[in-house]
Amino acid sequence: MLKSILSLSITAAFGLLVIAILLPTQADKIFQSVLGQVVTVNKAVGVDSPVKTISSAINTVINKGATVITSTAPKSVTVAKDTSPLSQENIIDATNVERVKAGLQPLKTSDKLAASAKIKAEDMIANHYFEHTSPSGKTVADLGSEVGYDYVVMGENLALGDFVNANDLLQAWMNSPGHRANILNTSYQDIGVYAAQGTYQGHTVWFAVQHFGTERGVCPALSTSLKTTIDTVNLRVKNEETEISSLRAQIEDPKHTQDQAYGNLITQFNTLVGKYNSDVALSQTNIAAYNKQVIAFNKCLNQYQASKE
């Protein structure tokens, strides 16, 4: 029978058992501003008479990228090798055993999350702390971005102590409601873990890190080609507006004689207005399609936000 947290802390002469949890963190709703300012254009103008007021078409889409942070190399530590009871494979297997017992899908091993977990464990050892936020202010979300894990949700479990094996470690986490909730969170698809021995308060102990997450690709994709098309058409519309305004000024000039050149000017104006209206209609169609994608993406993110609360 596995030892409880309390007995584990007492039976080892220098046994320390400290565990902490960080609830899931969400990716920024990078398209929330788009949803709040849905891209629109004004109605197309008519061409039944030579002179019309041309309404401008202004369309903006905001896309905020993730910041990549470069960390300093941590000091060397004793790493849990593949043959170690606290190897990555053993900890992930023990984690997935608990998920399967609860009727959940096992988590997939993520090299990126393994890398972020490694950074966290080695940073705690090198800088002598045991917190979810590092002395430099980094959180699990920062580490996810640092290793290129483009997430919609992430979470972190930490453990420090004299653990016998992976099952011993998992039992300690499962005995804590908060850690258990992270392990059994249905929003996670991926996992990366890392364990290493280091010194804490004068004792050599294991530092263990679980990083959970689900990549942004789980949500509907936004078409970059469609966005490029929208930008291209809207630029063309703005140029057409400028040209139409110039032609209109010439047509409305009272000094302009009503001759063949004037008739040609009107024909040119109406032809351009027709092209403008066609481009505005195309822009409206493309923007409506893109906004549907944005709404679907935000709806997906909202579901993960709800799972956090």
Side-chain angles (χ1 to χ4, degrees):
M1 180 178 294
L2 296 176
K3 292 174 285 186
S4 68
I5 291 178
L6 181 59
S7 62
L8 177 60
S9 177
I10 293 175
T11 53
F14 50 84
L16 295 175
L17 180 58
V18 185
I19 55 178
I21 183 170
L22 182 65
L23 294 177
T25 183
Q26 308 307 126
D28 291 339
K29 290 189 176 182
I30 61 174
F31 299 105
Q32 187 173 15
S33 57
V34 176
L35 188 58
Q37 295 178 331
V38 177
V39 182
T40 58
V41 295
N42 293 319
K43 294 182 179 179
V45 301
V47 294
D48 55 333
S49 61
V51 180
K52 288 290 180 181
T53 300
I54 310 301
S55 300
S56 62
I58 301 174
N59 310 282
T60 57
V61 177
I62 300 171
N63 189 342
K64 176 185 175 185
T67 301
V68 178
I69 305 170
T70 302
S71 66
T72 57
K75 300 176 182 177
S76 60
V77 294
T78 303
V79 179
K81 301 182 184 301
D82 291 340
T83 56
S84 166
L86 262 65
S87 68
Q88 172 178 277
E89 181 179 0
N90 288 341
I91 296 174
I92 291 177
D93 285 347
T95 300
N96 281 332
V97 165
E98 297 296 339
R99 287 181 64 88
V100 171
K101 282 165 54 177
L104 305 177
Q105 288 293 320
L107 299 171
K108 297 176 295 183
T109 301
S110 165
D111 291 340
K112 291 180 179 178
L113 289 182
S116 65
K118 180 177 185 290
I119 293 172
K120 179 63 178 180
E122 294 186 341
D123 188 59
M124 287 192 296
I125 293 171
N127 293 292
H128 308 290
Y129 74 95
F130 185 73
E131 300 288 344
H132 288 290
T133 301
S134 72
S136 63
K138 288 185 181 181
T139 66
V140 63
D142 298 316
L143 297 178
S145 296
E146 183 175 331
V147 299
Y149 188 77
D150 193 14
Y151 64 91
V152 293
V153 62
M154 281 190 71
E156 178 181 78
N157 277 352
L158 304 178
L160 181 154
D162 186 32
F163 302 107
V164 176
N165 52 37
N167 289 332
D168 197 20
L169 171 62
L170 256 294
Q171 189 62 53
W173 272 328
M174 290 297 289
N175 287 343
S176 164
H179 296 81
R180 178 187 178 91
N182 248 358
I183 291 170
L184 303 183
N185 193 321
T186 58
S187 292
Y188 298 140
Q189 294 184 359
D190 306 325
I191 186 174
V193 303
Y194 192 78
Q197 283 185 311
T199 302
Y200 187 78
Q201 296 182 351
H203 305 297
T204 300
V205 292
W206 283 105
F207 288 76
V209 179
Q210 282 180 317
H211 277 179
F212 308 94
T214 296
E215 291 187 288
R216 194 179 295 274
V218 72
C219 290
L222 295 172
S223 173
T224 55
S225 61
L226 181 57
K227 175 59 172 59
T228 299
T229 299
I230 290 171
D231 292 340
T232 300
V233 173
N234 287 343
L235 178 59
R236 190 164 68 228
V237 165
K238 292 186 71 173
N239 291 335
E240 288 166 351
E241 288 174 352
T242 300
E243 188 175 354
I244 286 171
S245 296
S246 176
L247 290 173
R248 183 178 61 207
Q250 296 178 56
I251 292 171
E252 293 176 342
D253 186 352
K255 297 179 181 179
H256 208 298
T257 58
Q258 303 291 320
D259 53 12
Q260 182 61 40
Y262 183 77
N264 292 340
L265 199 61
I266 290 177
T267 299
Q268 182 182 355
F269 176 87
N270 281 337
T271 299
L272 185 57
V273 167
K275 187 173 184 302
Y276 171 88
N277 285 340
S278 176
D279 283 340
V280 168
L282 175 62
S283 182
Q284 287 176 325
T285 299
N286 289 338
I287 288 170
Y290 188 80
N291 280 343
K292 284 183 180 179
Q293 295 178 4
V294 169
I295 291 170
F297 186 92
N298 278 342
K299 182 179 180 181
C300 178
L301 287 187
N302 285 334
Q303 292 174 348
Y304 285 95
Q305 179 66 37
S307 71
K308 173 187 173 184
E309 296 171 351

